[in-house]
Structure formats: C-alpha cells, structure tokens
Amino acid sequence: MGDLAEASGPAPRTAPAAAPLAPRARLLPALAAVYRAQLSRARVARIPLLFVATFQSVGIMILMRGVVDDGSGARAVVAGSSVLVVAFVALNLLAQYFGQLRAGGGLDHYATLPVPPASVVLGAAAAYASFTVPGTAVTAVAGCVLFGLPMGHLWVLAAVVPLAGAALAGLGAALGLLAPRQELATLFGQLGMSAALLLGVLPAGRLPGPIASARDLLPSTYGVEAFAHSFDAHPDWGVVGLDLAVCAAVGVVSLAVATWAYRRAAVR
C-alpha cells in the first residue's frame, strides 16, 4: 500500500479562492477625496488665472463707469462682473480641463477608480468653483465703491457663488467632455464666457430684443439677478429667493448632464 501511495504522487492542490473586490466607494466620501485632490493639484496653476479673472472684471466695471449713469444699470454691471469671475473659472477653465483630460487619456485613470462618475464631476466642479470666492468678493466690493452701492447685503454672495458656480461648472464640464477635440473644448469655453460677459454684465434693458431673450437661457443669469436685487434699498427677498431657486435647479440639471457626458466619454 505504501508503494502504491508513493507511485500515485502527491494529491493535486486546489486553486485558492479569488479574493472579493473592495466595495465601491460611496458618493460623498469619493466626492470629498476628488475635491481635495483637485484642489491641491490646481492651487498653484489656477491662482494666477484667478488674478486675471478678477482684474478683467474690475477693468470692465471701470470701463462701464463712464457709460452707466443710472442705479439699475450700476447694479446690473456690478452683479454681472462679480459673477463673471465665476464664469471665467468654473465654465471656461473647466471646459479646457475636461477637454484636455479626455484628449490625453486622463479619463482612463478615473475610470479605473472605484468611485461613482458623479463624484468625479462634482469634485472637480466644486474645486474649480472654490477658486472663485476671493475674486468674486474683491470684485463686488470694488464695484460697490466705484458705483456707490450699499454693501450691507453682500452676504448674498454666499448663496450666489456656489449656486451659479455649480450651474456654470456643470455646463463647462459638459462642453469639455462632449467636444470631439481639445481645441473645440477650449473654443466652447471661450464662447460661453463671452456669452456670460455680454448677457450678464450689460444691463438687460439696453440689449436688443432677441439677445435679451437669450439671456434667460444662460445659467448664471439667475445668480446675477438675485445679486442685483440685493442692492435695492428694500430688497424683495421673495424675488431673490426665486432667482436662487431657479439657479439651483439649473445647476442640478447641468451637473446631471455633465455626469452623463462623463460616462459617455469614459466608455469610449
């Protein structure tokens, strides 16, 4: 029996069981991780551009100071110039970033991570929008000094910046992800910022009819209107709240479109 056992050789080894995959990260922790990574990555590269955006908005207000001579026009210029800082960073730069990410294969890196697609879009959008806070505040204060507007309700910016930033960042991300080439993503971002400049800074009453109607299609318009109403002697907070609610709804829709565009670009 012993010789028979030796002749038959050792018993075959069974293959080890495959280790279970790690659970997929939840949305909020993944969003926080992407936000911190994007914030640290973009801090050095984007701060000089933030100075450019702020200088550009303040320069526009100085030019408009000699053109606008009424209170409603002044409110529109200051509110539009302040939100223009958000448009420059959250729309223009984010469109360029996602266009570059798609062209350079960077989406493949994110696709391998066990994070929800929404966390990638929301984290990047929140990081870029965060850079707009100092420039928007500086622009608003400078505009109030230039046009003699009250500063008592500047706290409205605490709602305008994140809501307008979300709406514009979602639009910028969607433009960058849907553009077939990186150059077109840059072009679309520049056109979007030009639309924010034309339709947001100029008083609505001085725009031609068709262009004034197109103003309602721009996501940042409602943030501009909410901020402009806050300069009134006795603001109608119901109107301000309604504008902010519309801005929030547009932000949800634009971020949802950007998430869909990310999924579409990541699987190609």
Coordinates of all heavy atoms in Angstrom, one line a residue, residues 109-211:
H109 N -7.8 56.9 -16.3 CA -7.3 56.8 -14.9 C -8.5 56.9 -13.9 O -8.7 56.0 -13.1 CB -6.4 57.9 -14.5 CG -6.1 58.1 -13.1 ND1 -5.4 57.2 -12.3 CD2 -6.5 59.1 -12.2 CE1 -5.4 57.6 -11.1 NE2 -6.1 58.7 -11.0
Y110 N -9.4 57.8 -14.2 CA -10.6 57.9 -13.3 C -11.5 56.7 -13.5 O -12.2 56.3 -12.5 CB -11.4 59.2 -13.6 CG -10.7 60.4 -13.0 CD1 -10.1 61.4 -13.8 CD2 -10.7 60.6 -11.6 CE1 -9.5 62.5 -13.2 CE2 -10.1 61.8 -11.0 CZ -9.5 62.7 -11.9 OH -8.9 63.8 -11.3
A111 N -11.6 56.2 -14.7 CA -12.5 55.0 -15.0 C -12.0 53.8 -14.2 O -12.9 52.9 -13.9 CB -12.5 54.8 -16.4
T112 N -10.7 53.7 -13.9 CA -10.3 52.5 -13.1 C -10.5 52.6 -11.6 O -10.3 51.7 -10.9 CB -8.8 52.3 -13.4 OG1 -8.0 53.5 -12.9 CG2 -8.5 52.1 -14.9
L113 N -10.8 53.8 -11.1 CA -11.0 54.0 -9.7 C -12.5 53.6 -9.3 O -13.4 53.8 -10.1 CB -10.8 55.5 -9.3 CG -9.4 56.1 -9.6 CD1 -9.4 57.5 -9.3 CD2 -8.4 55.3 -8.8
P114 N -12.6 53.0 -8.1 CA -13.9 52.5 -7.7 C -14.8 53.7 -7.1 O -15.2 53.6 -6.0 CB -13.6 51.5 -6.6 CG -12.3 51.9 -6.0 CD -11.6 52.6 -7.2
V115 N -15.0 54.7 -7.9 CA -15.7 55.9 -7.4 C -16.9 56.1 -8.4 O -16.7 55.9 -9.6 CB -14.8 57.1 -7.3 CG1 -13.7 56.9 -6.3 CG2 -14.2 57.5 -8.7
P116 N -18.0 56.6 -7.9 CA -19.1 57.0 -8.8 C -18.7 58.1 -9.8 O -18.0 59.0 -9.4 CB -20.2 57.4 -7.9 CG -19.8 56.9 -6.5 CD -18.3 56.9 -6.5
P117 N -19.2 58.0 -11.0 CA -18.9 59.1 -12.0 C -19.3 60.5 -11.5 O -18.6 61.5 -11.8 CB -19.7 58.7 -13.3 CG -19.8 57.2 -13.1 CD -20.0 56.9 -11.7
A118 N -20.4 60.5 -10.8 CA -20.9 61.8 -10.3 C -19.9 62.5 -9.4 O -19.7 63.7 -9.3 CB -22.2 61.7 -9.6
S119 N -19.1 61.7 -8.6 CA -18.2 62.2 -7.6 C -17.0 62.9 -8.4 O -16.4 63.9 -7.9 CB -17.7 61.1 -6.7 OG -16.9 60.2 -7.4
V120 N -16.6 62.3 -9.5 CA -15.5 62.9 -10.3 C -16.0 64.3 -10.8 O -15.2 65.3 -10.7 CB -15.1 62.0 -11.5 CG1 -14.0 62.7 -12.3 CG2 -14.7 60.7 -11.0
V121 N -17.2 64.4 -11.4 CA -17.6 65.6 -12.0 C -17.9 66.7 -10.9 O -17.4 67.8 -10.9 CB -18.9 65.4 -12.8 CG1 -19.5 66.7 -13.3 CG2 -18.6 64.5 -14.0
L122 N -18.6 66.2 -9.8 CA -18.9 67.2 -8.7 C -17.6 67.6 -8.0 O -17.5 68.8 -7.6 CB -19.9 66.5 -7.8 CG -21.3 66.2 -8.3 CD1 -22.1 65.5 -7.3 CD2 -22.0 67.5 -8.7
G123 N -16.7 66.7 -7.8 CA -15.5 67.1 -7.1 C -14.7 68.1 -7.9 O -14.2 69.1 -7.3
A124 N -14.5 67.9 -9.2 CA -13.8 68.8 -10.0 C -14.5 70.1 -10.1 O -13.9 71.2 -10.0 CB -13.5 68.2 -11.4
A125 N -15.8 70.1 -10.3 CA -16.6 71.3 -10.3 C -16.5 72.1 -9.1 O -16.3 73.4 -9.1 CB -18.0 71.0 -10.7
A126 N -16.6 71.5 -7.9 CA -16.5 72.2 -6.6 C -15.1 72.8 -6.4 O -15.0 73.9 -5.9 CB -16.9 71.2 -5.5
A127 N -14.1 72.1 -6.8 CA -12.7 72.6 -6.6 C -12.5 73.8 -7.5 O -12.0 74.8 -7.0 CB -11.7 71.5 -7.0
Y128 N -13.0 73.8 -8.7 CA -12.8 75.0 -9.6 C -13.6 76.1 -9.1 O -13.2 77.3 -9.1 CB -13.1 74.6 -11.0 CG -11.9 74.1 -11.8 CD1 -11.5 72.8 -11.5 CD2 -11.3 74.8 -12.8 CE1 -10.4 72.2 -12.2 CE2 -10.2 74.3 -13.5 CZ -9.8 73.0 -13.2 OH -8.7 72.5 -13.8
A129 N -14.9 75.9 -8.6 CA -15.7 76.9 -8.2 C -15.2 77.5 -6.9 O -15.4 78.7 -6.6 CB -17.1 76.4 -7.9
S130 N -14.5 76.8 -6.1 CA -13.9 77.3 -4.8 C -12.9 78.4 -5.1 O -12.7 79.3 -4.3 CB -13.2 76.2 -4.0 OG -14.2 75.2 -3.6
F131 N -12.2 78.4 -6.2 CA -11.2 79.4 -6.5 C -11.8 80.7 -6.8 O -11.1 81.7 -6.9 CB -10.3 78.9 -7.7 CG -9.3 77.9 -7.3 CD1 -9.5 76.6 -7.6 CD2 -8.1 78.3 -6.7 CE1 -8.6 75.6 -7.3 CE2 -7.2 77.3 -6.4 CZ -7.4 76.0 -6.7
T132 N -13.1 80.7 -7.1 CA -13.8 82.0 -7.5 C -14.2 82.9 -6.3 O -14.5 84.0 -6.5 CB -15.0 81.7 -8.3 OG1 -16.0 81.1 -7.5 CG2 -14.7 80.8 -9.5
V133 N -14.2 82.3 -5.1 CA -14.7 83.0 -3.9 C -14.0 84.3 -3.7 O -14.6 85.4 -3.6 CB -14.8 82.1 -2.7 CG1 -15.2 82.9 -1.5 CG2 -15.7 80.9 -2.9
P134 N -12.6 84.3 -3.5 CA -11.9 85.6 -3.3 C -12.1 86.6 -4.4 O -12.3 87.8 -4.1 CB -10.4 85.1 -3.1 CG -10.5 83.6 -2.9 CD -11.7 83.2 -3.6
G135 N -12.0 86.2 -5.6 CA -12.1 87.1 -6.7 C -13.5 87.7 -6.8 O -13.6 88.9 -7.1
T136 N -14.5 86.9 -6.6 CA -15.9 87.5 -6.6 C -16.1 88.5 -5.5 O -16.7 89.5 -5.7 CB -16.9 86.3 -6.5 OG1 -16.6 85.3 -7.5 CG2 -18.3 86.8 -6.6
A137 N -15.6 88.2 -4.3 CA -15.7 89.1 -3.2 C -15.0 90.4 -3.5 O -15.5 91.5 -3.3 CB -15.2 88.5 -1.9
V138 N -13.8 90.4 -4.0 CA -13.0 91.6 -4.3 C -13.7 92.4 -5.4 O -13.8 93.6 -5.3 CB -11.6 91.2 -4.8 CG1 -10.8 92.4 -5.3 CG2 -10.8 90.6 -3.6
T139 N -14.2 91.7 -6.4 CA -14.9 92.4 -7.5 C -16.2 93.1 -7.0 O -16.5 94.3 -7.3 CB -15.3 91.4 -8.6 OG1 -14.1 90.8 -9.1 CG2 -16.0 92.1 -9.8
A140 N -16.9 92.4 -6.1 CA -18.2 93.0 -5.6 C -17.9 94.2 -4.7 O -18.5 95.3 -4.9 CB -18.9 92.0 -4.8
V141 N -16.9 94.2 -3.9 CA -16.5 95.3 -3.0 C -16.0 96.5 -3.9 O -16.4 97.6 -3.7 CB -15.5 94.9 -2.0 CG1 -14.9 96.1 -1.2 CG2 -16.0 93.9 -1.0
A142 N -15.1 96.2 -4.9 CA -14.6 97.2 -5.7 C -15.8 97.9 -6.5 O -15.8 99.1 -6.7 CB -13.6 96.7 -6.7
G143 N -16.7 97.1 -7.0 CA -17.9 97.6 -7.7 C -18.8 98.5 -6.9 O -19.2 99.6 -7.3
C144 N -19.0 98.1 -5.6 CA -19.8 99.0 -4.7 C -19.1 100.3 -4.5 O -19.8 101.3 -4.4 CB -20.0 98.2 -3.4 SG -21.1 96.8 -3.5
V145 N -17.8 100.3 -4.4 CA -17.0 101.6 -4.2 C -17.1 102.4 -5.4 O -17.3 103.6 -5.4 CB -15.6 101.3 -3.8 CG1 -14.8 102.6 -3.8 CG2 -15.5 100.6 -2.5
L146 N -16.9 101.8 -6.6 CA -17.0 102.5 -7.9 C -18.3 103.2 -8.1 O -18.4 104.3 -8.6 CB -16.6 101.6 -9.0 CG -15.1 101.4 -9.3 CD1 -15.0 100.3 -10.3 CD2 -14.4 102.7 -9.7
F147 N -19.4 102.5 -7.9 CA -20.7 102.9 -8.2 C -21.5 103.4 -7.0 O -22.7 103.8 -7.2 CB -21.5 101.8 -8.9 CG -21.0 101.4 -10.3 CD1 -20.0 100.5 -10.5 CD2 -21.4 102.1 -11.4 CE1 -19.5 100.1 -11.7 CE2 -21.0 101.8 -12.7 CZ -20.0 100.8 -12.8
G148 N -20.9 103.4 -5.9 CA -21.6 104.0 -4.7 C -22.8 103.1 -4.3 O -23.8 103.6 -3.8
L149 N -22.7 101.8 -4.4 CA -23.8 100.9 -4.0 C -23.6 100.5 -2.5 O -22.5 100.4 -2.0 CB -23.8 99.7 -4.9 CG -24.1 99.9 -6.4 CD1 -24.0 98.7 -7.2 CD2 -25.4 100.6 -6.5
P150 N -24.7 100.1 -1.8 CA -24.6 99.7 -0.4 C -23.9 98.3 -0.3 O -24.1 97.4 -1.2 CB -26.0 99.6 0.0 CG -26.8 99.5 -1.2 CD -26.1 100.2 -2.3
M151 N -23.2 98.1 0.7 CA -22.5 96.8 1.0 C -23.2 95.9 2.0 O -22.7 94.9 2.4 CB -21.1 97.0 1.4 CG -20.2 97.7 0.4 SD -18.5 97.8 0.9 CE -17.8 98.9 -0.3
G152 N -24.4 96.4 2.5 CA -25.0 95.7 3.6 C -25.5 94.3 3.3 O -25.6 93.4 4.2
H153 N -25.7 94.0 2.0 CA -26.3 92.7 1.6 C -25.3 91.9 0.8 O -25.8 91.0 0.0 CB -27.6 92.8 0.9 CG -28.7 93.5 1.7 ND1 -29.5 94.5 1.2 CD2 -29.0 93.4 3.0 CE1 -30.3 94.9 2.2 NE2 -30.0 94.2 3.3
L154 N -24.0 92.1 0.9 CA -23.1 91.3 0.2 C -23.0 89.9 0.6 O -22.5 89.0 -0.1 CB -21.6 91.9 0.3 CG -21.4 93.3 -0.4 CD1 -19.9 93.7 -0.3 CD2 -21.8 93.2 -1.9
W155 N -23.6 89.6 1.8 CA -23.7 88.2 2.2 C -24.5 87.3 1.2 O -24.4 86.1 1.3 CB -24.3 88.1 3.6 CG -25.7 88.7 3.7 CD1 -26.0 90.0 4.1 CD2 -26.9 88.1 3.4 NE1 -27.3 90.2 4.0 CE2 -27.9 89.1 3.6 CE3 -27.3 86.9 2.9 CZ2 -29.3 88.8 3.4 CZ3 -28.7 86.6 2.7 CH2 -29.6 87.6 2.9
V156 N -25.3 87.9 0.3 CA -26.0 87.1 -0.7 C -25.0 86.4 -1.6 O -25.4 85.3 -2.1 CB -26.9 88.1 -1.5 CG1 -27.6 87.3 -2.6 CG2 -27.9 88.7 -0.6
L157 N -23.8 86.9 -1.7 CA -22.8 86.1 -2.5 C -22.5 84.7 -1.9 O -22.1 83.8 -2.7 CB -21.4 86.9 -2.5 CG -21.3 88.1 -3.4 CD1 -20.0 88.8 -3.2 CD2 -21.5 87.7 -4.9
A158 N -22.7 84.5 -0.6 CA -22.5 83.2 -0.1 C -23.5 82.2 -0.7 O -23.2 81.0 -0.7 CB -22.8 83.2 1.4
A159 N -24.6 82.6 -1.2 CA -25.5 81.7 -1.9 C -25.3 81.8 -3.5 O -25.4 80.8 -4.2 CB -27.0 82.1 -1.6
V160 N -25.0 83.0 -4.0 CA -24.9 83.2 -5.4 C -23.7 82.4 -5.9 O -23.8 81.7 -7.0 CB -24.7 84.7 -5.8 CG1 -24.4 84.8 -7.2 CG2 -26.0 85.4 -5.5
V161 N -22.5 82.5 -5.3 CA -21.3 81.8 -5.8 C -21.4 80.3 -5.9 O -21.2 79.8 -7.0 CB -20.1 82.2 -4.9 CG1 -18.9 81.4 -5.3 CG2 -19.8 83.7 -5.1
P162 N -21.9 79.6 -4.9 CA -22.0 78.1 -5.1 C -23.0 77.7 -6.1 O -22.8 76.8 -6.8 CB -22.3 77.6 -3.7 CG -22.8 78.7 -2.9 CD -22.1 80.0 -3.5
L163 N -24.2 78.4 -6.1 CA -25.2 78.0 -7.0 C -24.9 78.4 -8.5 O -25.1 77.5 -9.4 CB -26.6 78.7 -6.6 CG -27.1 78.3 -5.2 CD1 -28.4 79.0 -4.9 CD2 -27.4 76.8 -5.2
A164 N -24.4 79.6 -8.7 CA -24.0 80.0 -10.1 C -22.8 79.1 -10.5 O -22.6 78.7 -11.6 CB -23.7 81.5 -10.1
G165 N -21.9 78.9 -9.5 CA -20.7 78.1 -9.8 C -21.1 76.7 -10.2 O -20.5 76.1 -11.1
A166 N -22.1 76.1 -9.5 CA -22.5 74.7 -9.9 C -23.1 74.7 -11.3 O -22.8 73.8 -12.1 CB -23.5 74.2 -8.8
A167 N -23.9 75.7 -11.6 CA -24.6 75.7 -12.9 C -23.5 75.9 -14.0 O -23.6 75.2 -15.0 CB -25.6 76.8 -12.9
L168 N -22.6 76.8 -13.8 CA -21.6 77.1 -14.8 C -20.6 76.0 -14.9 O -20.1 75.7 -16.0 CB -20.9 78.4 -14.6 CG -21.9 79.7 -14.7 CD1 -21.2 80.9 -14.3 CD2 -22.3 79.8 -16.2
A169 N -20.2 75.4 -13.7 CA -19.2 74.3 -13.8 C -19.8 73.1 -14.5 O -19.1 72.4 -15.2 CB -18.8 74.0 -12.3
G170 N -21.1 72.8 -14.2 CA -21.7 71.7 -14.9 C -21.7 71.9 -16.4 O -21.4 71.0 -17.2
L171 N -22.0 73.1 -16.8 CA -22.0 73.5 -18.3 C -20.6 73.4 -18.8 O -20.4 72.8 -19.9 CB -22.6 74.9 -18.5 CG -22.6 75.4 -19.9 CD1 -23.5 74.5 -20.8 CD2 -23.1 76.8 -19.9
G172 N -19.6 73.9 -18.1 CA -18.2 73.8 -18.6 C -17.7 72.4 -18.7 O -17.1 72.0 -19.7
A173 N -18.0 71.5 -17.7 CA -17.6 70.1 -17.8 C -18.3 69.4 -18.9 O -17.6 68.6 -19.7 CB -18.0 69.4 -16.5
A174 N -19.6 69.7 -19.2 CA -20.3 69.1 -20.3 C -19.7 69.5 -21.6 O -19.5 68.6 -22.5 CB -21.8 69.4 -20.2
L175 N -19.4 70.8 -21.8 CA -18.7 71.2 -23.0 C -17.4 70.6 -23.3 O -17.1 70.2 -24.4 CB -18.6 72.8 -23.0 CG -19.9 73.6 -23.0 CD1 -19.5 75.1 -22.8 CD2 -20.6 73.4 -24.3
G176 N -16.6 70.4 -22.2 CA -15.3 69.8 -22.4 C -15.4 68.3 -22.7 O -14.6 67.8 -23.4
L177 N -16.3 67.6 -22.1 CA -16.5 66.2 -22.3 C -17.1 65.8 -23.6 O -16.9 64.8 -24.2 CB -17.3 65.6 -21.1 CG -16.5 65.6 -19.8 CD1 -17.5 65.3 -18.7 CD2 -15.4 64.6 -19.8
L178 N -18.0 66.7 -24.1 CA -18.7 66.4 -25.3 C -18.0 66.9 -26.6 O -18.3 66.5 -27.7 CB -20.1 67.0 -25.3 CG -21.1 66.5 -24.2 CD1 -22.4 67.2 -24.2 CD2 -21.4 65.0 -24.5
A179 N -17.1 67.8 -26.4 CA -16.3 68.3 -27.6 C -15.5 67.2 -28.2 O -14.8 66.5 -27.5 CB -15.4 69.5 -27.1
P180 N -15.6 67.0 -29.5 CA -14.8 65.9 -30.1 C -13.3 66.1 -30.1 O -12.5 65.2 -30.2 CB -15.3 65.9 -31.5 CG -15.9 67.3 -31.8 CD -16.4 67.7 -30.5
R181 N -12.8 67.4 -29.9 CA -11.4 67.7 -29.9 C -11.1 68.7 -28.8 O -12.0 69.5 -28.4 CB -10.9 68.2 -31.2 CG -10.9 67.2 -32.4 CD -10.2 67.8 -33.6 NE -10.9 69.0 -34.1 CZ -10.4 69.8 -35.0 NH1 -9.2 69.5 -35.6 NH2 -11.1 70.9 -35.4
Q182 N -9.9 68.7 -28.3 CA -9.5 69.6 -27.2 C -9.6 71.0 -27.6 O -10.0 71.9 -26.8 CB -8.1 69.2 -26.8 CG -7.5 70.1 -25.6 CD -6.1 69.8 -25.3 OE1 -5.6 68.8 -25.7 NE2 -5.5 70.6 -24.4
E183 N -9.2 71.3 -28.9 CA -9.3 72.7 -29.4 C -10.8 73.2 -29.3 O -11.0 74.4 -29.0 CB -8.7 72.8 -30.8 CG -7.3 72.5 -30.9 CD -7.0 71.0 -30.9 OE1 -7.9 70.2 -31.0 OE2 -5.8 70.6 -30.8
L184 N -11.7 72.3 -29.7 CA -13.1 72.7 -29.7 C -13.6 73.0 -28.2 O -14.4 73.8 -28.0 CB -14.0 71.7 -30.4 CG -13.8 71.6 -31.9 CD1 -14.6 70.5 -32.5 CD2 -14.1 72.9 -32.6
A185 N -13.1 72.2 -27.3 CA -13.5 72.4 -25.9 C -13.0 73.8 -25.4 O -13.8 74.5 -24.7 CB -12.9 71.3 -25.0
T186 N -11.8 74.2 -25.8 CA -11.3 75.5 -25.5 C -12.2 76.6 -26.1 O -12.5 77.6 -25.5 CB -9.8 75.6 -25.9 OG1 -9.1 74.6 -25.3 CG2 -9.3 77.0 -25.5
L187 N -12.5 76.3 -27.4 CA -13.4 77.3 -28.1 C -14.7 77.5 -27.4 O -15.2 78.6 -27.2 CB -13.5 76.9 -29.6 CG -14.5 77.7 -30.4 CD1 -14.0 79.2 -30.5 CD2 -14.6 77.1 -31.8
F188 N -15.3 76.3 -27.1 CA -16.7 76.4 -26.5 C -16.6 77.1 -25.1 O -17.5 77.8 -24.8 CB -17.2 75.0 -26.3 CG -17.5 74.3 -27.6 CD1 -17.6 72.9 -27.7 CD2 -17.8 75.0 -28.7 CE1 -17.8 72.3 -28.9 CE2 -18.1 74.4 -29.9 CZ -18.1 73.0 -30.0
G189 N -15.5 76.8 -24.4 CA -15.4 77.5 -23.1 C -15.2 79.0 -23.2 O -15.8 79.8 -22.5
Q190 N -14.5 79.4 -24.2 CA -14.3 80.9 -24.5 C -15.6 81.5 -24.9 O -16.0 82.6 -24.5 CB -13.2 81.1 -25.6 CG -11.8 80.7 -25.2 CD -11.2 81.8 -24.3 OE1 -11.8 82.8 -24.1 NE2 -10.1 81.4 -23.7
L191 N -16.4 80.8 -25.8 CA -17.7 81.3 -26.2 C -18.6 81.4 -25.1 O -19.4 82.4 -25.0 CB -18.2 80.4 -27.3 CG -17.5 80.5 -28.7 CD1 -18.1 79.5 -29.7 CD2 -17.6 81.9 -29.3
G192 N -18.6 80.4 -24.2 CA -19.5 80.5 -23.0 C -19.2 81.7 -22.1 O -20.1 82.4 -21.6
M193 N -17.9 81.9 -21.9 CA -17.5 83.1 -21.1 C -17.9 84.4 -21.8 O -18.3 85.4 -21.1 CB -16.0 83.0 -20.8 CG -15.6 84.0 -19.7 SD -13.8 84.3 -19.6 CE -13.6 85.2 -21.1
S194 N -17.7 84.4 -23.1 CA -18.1 85.7 -23.8 C -19.6 85.9 -23.7 O -20.1 87.1 -23.6 CB -17.7 85.5 -25.3 OG -16.3 85.4 -25.4
A195 N -20.4 84.8 -23.7 CA -21.9 85.0 -23.5 C -22.2 85.5 -22.1 O -23.1 86.3 -21.9 CB -22.6 83.6 -23.8
A196 N -21.4 85.0 -21.1 CA -21.6 85.5 -19.7 C -21.3 86.9 -19.6 O -21.9 87.7 -18.9 CB -20.8 84.6 -18.8
L197 N -20.3 87.4 -20.4 CA -19.9 88.8 -20.4 C -20.9 89.6 -21.0 O -21.3 90.7 -20.5 CB -18.5 88.9 -21.1 CG -18.0 90.4 -21.4 CD1 -17.9 91.2 -20.1 CD2 -16.7 90.3 -22.2
L198 N -21.4 89.2 -22.2 CA -22.3 90.0 -23.0 C -23.7 90.1 -22.3 O -24.3 91.2 -22.1 CB -22.5 89.5 -24.4 CG -23.5 90.1 -25.3 CD1 -23.2 91.6 -25.5 CD2 -23.7 89.4 -26.6
L199 N -24.2 88.9 -21.9 CA -25.5 88.8 -21.4 C -25.7 89.1 -19.9 O -26.7 89.4 -19.4 CB -26.1 87.5 -21.7 CG -26.1 87.1 -23.2 CD1 -26.7 85.6 -23.3 CD2 -27.0 88.0 -24.0
G200 N -24.5 89.0 -19.2 CA -24.6 89.2 -17.7 C -24.2 90.6 -17.3 O -24.8 91.1 -16.3
V201 N -23.2 91.2 -17.9 CA -22.7 92.5 -17.4 C -23.5 93.6 -18.0 O -23.8 94.6 -17.2 CB -21.2 92.6 -17.8 CG1 -20.7 94.0 -17.5 CG2 -20.4 91.6 -17.1
L202 N -23.9 93.6 -19.2 CA -24.7 94.7 -19.8 C -26.1 94.7 -19.2 O -26.7 93.6 -19.1 CB -24.7 94.5 -21.3 CG -23.4 94.6 -22.1 CD1 -23.6 94.5 -23.6 CD2 -22.7 96.0 -21.8
P203 N -26.6 95.8 -18.9 CA -28.0 95.9 -18.4 C -29.0 95.3 -19.4 O -28.9 95.6 -20.6 CB -28.2 97.4 -18.2 CG -26.8 98.0 -18.0 CD -26.0 97.2 -18.9
A204 N -29.9 94.5 -18.9 CA -30.9 93.9 -19.8 C -31.7 94.8 -20.6 O -32.1 94.5 -21.8 CB -31.8 93.0 -19.0
G205 N -32.0 96.0 -20.1 CA -32.8 97.0 -20.8 C -32.1 97.6 -22.0 O -32.8 98.2 -22.9
R206 N -30.8 97.4 -22.1 CA -30.1 98.0 -23.2 C -29.7 97.0 -24.3 O -29.0 97.3 -25.2 CB -28.8 98.7 -22.7 CG -29.1 99.8 -21.7 CD -27.9 100.6 -21.3 NE -28.2 101.7 -20.4 CZ -27.4 102.6 -20.0 NH1 -26.1 102.6 -20.5 NH2 -27.7 103.5 -19.1
L207 N -30.2 95.7 -24.1 CA -29.9 94.7 -25.1 C -31.0 94.6 -26.1 O -32.1 94.9 -25.8 CB -29.7 93.3 -24.4 CG -28.6 93.2 -23.4 CD1 -28.7 91.8 -22.7 CD2 -27.2 93.2 -24.2
P208 N -30.6 94.3 -27.4 CA -31.7 94.1 -28.4 C -32.6 93.0 -28.0 O -32.2 92.1 -27.2 CB -30.9 93.7 -29.7 CG -29.5 94.3 -29.4 CD -29.3 94.2 -27.9
G209 N -33.9 93.0 -28.5 CA -34.9 92.0 -28.1 C -34.5 90.6 -28.2 O -34.6 89.9 -27.2
P210 N -34.0 90.1 -29.3 CA -33.6 88.6 -29.4 C -32.5 88.3 -28.5 O -32.5 87.2 -27.9 CB -33.2 88.5 -30.9 CG -33.9 89.6 -31.6 CD -33.9 90.7 -30.6
I211 N -31.5 89.2 -28.3 CA -30.4 88.9 -27.4 C -30.9 88.9 -26.0 O -30.4 88.1 -25.1 CB -29.3 89.9 -27.6 CG1 -28.7 89.8 -29.1 CG2 -28.1 89.7 -26.6 CD1 -27.6 90.7 -29.4

